[in-house]
Amino acid sequence: MRLLTHNMLSSNIKGVTNGFPLRIEAEKVVEKQVEINHDFLRNIFPKIEWKAFVDASRILGYAELPEEAPEPSVLESDHEFLGKFHHALLELHIEEGALVCPETGRKFPINKGIPNMLLHEDEV
Amino acid sequence: MPSRSAQIRLVSSHPEVYEPCDDSFALVDALLADRTNLLEHRPTLCMEVGCGSGYVITSLALMLGQETPEIQYIATDTNPYAVRVTRETLEAHGVHAELINTDIASGLENRLAGSLDVIVVNPPYVPTPEDEVGREGIASAWAGGENGRRVIDKILPIANKLLSKRGWLYMVTLTANNPSQICLQMRERGFASRIVVQRSTEEESLHVIKFWRDFDIQADAKDVVTTSSILPARVMDLLPRLSFWRSGSSNNSC
C-alpha cells in the first residue's frame, strides 16, 4: 500500500465522524522504484491532504518533505520537490502493518501490501 | 498495443476466486473498443470495483499504460482471496494497482469523492435468493439477489459520488437486471449512457454500458440508451486469442 492510498482512506466504522487520517503502524516497508510522471503528480497534488501525507512519510522514515504544502506553482518548475513528492507518494509501500482508526483505535490490518477495510457486522 | 491484454496469463488461482468468464471478456472488449476515447480522456485515477482474478484491471493497465503513464489504478474486492490473486496477476504482467480489501469502496468514499475519472465494474449480477447476497468467498462474485440488482443498486450511488465531473463508468449487466431501467436511474443522476458491447452467450445476454455525466441532459427519457455501437474489427480479431486464458484454466466451468 502506497501513501497515495493512505491519503485516500478513512475509517469507515459506523458513527465515526473523525476517521482521517488513519494512524500507521508499519512493520515492513519496502521501496519500489517507479518512473516519475510529472503530469500525474500535478493532477493529484490538489487532492492530497498535505499534513497527513507528511506525517505518514515521516512514520515510514522519510523526512525530506516540507512541513507546509508548497504553492502549486512549485510543481511546474521544482524538479527536486517533484522527485521527493513522487518518492513518498508512490515508491514507499507498507507491506505489513496496520491502519488504526483515530477515533476508536480499531485496527485495519495490512497484509501483503493490502489493507483490509472490511467491517464486522456491528460496525456497519 | 491493444493486443497486449489478450496475453494475460492466469498465474494464480484460488477455489474461492472467480476466474475470467464471458462477462470479464465482454468488459475488457468494451474497454478495448473504447480505448481511443480513454486515451484522449487522459484519466488520473481509474478504479475497478470487484477485481476478482485481476483480469480486467490488469488488461486496463496494459492497454492504457504505455501511452498514458500518468494513470494510477485502484482495485477493490470484498473477497480477501481475490485481492491477493489480483496482486499476483498484476505483478506477473509488470503493472500496478493499489489493492484494497473492502466492500465496494468503503473507506474511500470521503476522500475519493469526485476524484475518479474511470470506474469499471463487473458486478455480481446473477439473480439469486436474497440470502445468498453478501456471503463470503466466491458467491460474492455473482450473487445479486432479486433481479440481480442488490449489489448493482448499491454501487450506482457510490459511483456517482466517486466519479469526477468528467468521470466515466463501465458496467456489465444482464438482461434480467433490466439495464434500461438502470440507465433511467442513472439519467436521473445526470448521466448519459450507451451500450459499448452487447453479447449473447448460451446462458445469458450481456451488455456493457458506459455512463458519463451529461450536463445538458434533458428530461427526455426516450433516448436513454442511444446507440448500440458496432465493435471495431480489431476487437473482434482479438477474441479468439482471449481463449488462451480459458484454455489455461481448465477447471473453469464458464
Side-chain angles (χ1 to χ4, degrees), chain A residues 27-43:
Chain A
E27 288 166 23
K28 183 183 172 196
V29 178
V30 297
E31 289 189 29
K32 294 179 200 165
Q33 285 198 352
V34 281
E35 210 165 312
I36 190 165
N37 187 285
H38 292 175
D39 286 337
F40 173 75
L41 295 172
R42 288 175 191 128
N43 291 338

Side-chain angles (χ1 to χ4, degrees), chain B residues 212-229:
Chain B
W212 65 97
R213 295 188 197 278
D214 184 344
F215 297 99
D216 301 323
I217 214 156
Q218 301 294 310
D220 177 2
K222 271 192 303 189
D223 58 348
V224 167
V225 180
T226 47
T227 52
S228 173
S229 72

Side-chain angles (χ1 to χ4, degrees), chain B residues 166-227:
Chain B
R166 57 194 202 96
W168 295 350
L169 166 68
Y170 297 85
M171 189 172 75
V172 181
T173 66
L174 195 66
T175 307
N177 304 144
N178 198 348
S180 57
Q181 195 212 12
I182 292 173
C183 293
L184 264 173
Q185 287 182 356
M186 288 300 275
R187 191 178 180 84
E188 286 165 11
R189 297 185 171 102
F191 284 84
S193 55
R194 83 180 163 90
I195 297 168
V196 186
V197 163
Q198 185 167 4
R199 188 164 301 162
S200 294
T201 67
E202 280 174 26
E203 291 175 358
E204 53 193 16
S205 177
L206 297 165
H207 297 82
V208 181
I209 308 174
K210 176 182 177 181
F211 300 91
W212 65 97
R213 295 188 197 278
D214 184 344
F215 297 99
D216 301 323
I217 214 156
Q218 301 294 310
D220 177 2
K222 271 192 303 189
D223 58 348
V224 167
V225 180
T226 47
T227 52

Side-chain angles (χ1 to χ4, degrees), chain A residues 100-123:
Chain A
V100 185
C101 171
E103 203 170 294
T104 65
R106 148 76 139 101
K107 286 189 185 185
F108 298 95
I110 305 170
N111 295 122
K112 294 186 191 294
I114 304 170
N116 178 347
M117 301 301 295
L118 294 174
L119 297 173
H120 307 306
E121 266 178 40
D122 59 354
E123 296 173 322

Side-chain angles (χ1 to χ4, degrees), chain B residues 65-99:
Chain B
Q66 196 132 52
E67 278 142 281
T68 45
E70 72 271 26
I71 305 174
Q72 289 293 329
Y73 304 89
I74 303 165
T76 68
D77 204 296
T78 188
N79 178 347
Y81 303 110
V83 278
R84 280 179 218 155
V85 171
T86 293
R87 177 178 168 146
E88 289 170 30
T89 305
L90 287 159
E91 281 177 354
H93 295 85
V95 289
H96 182 86
E98 284 290 281
L99 300 171

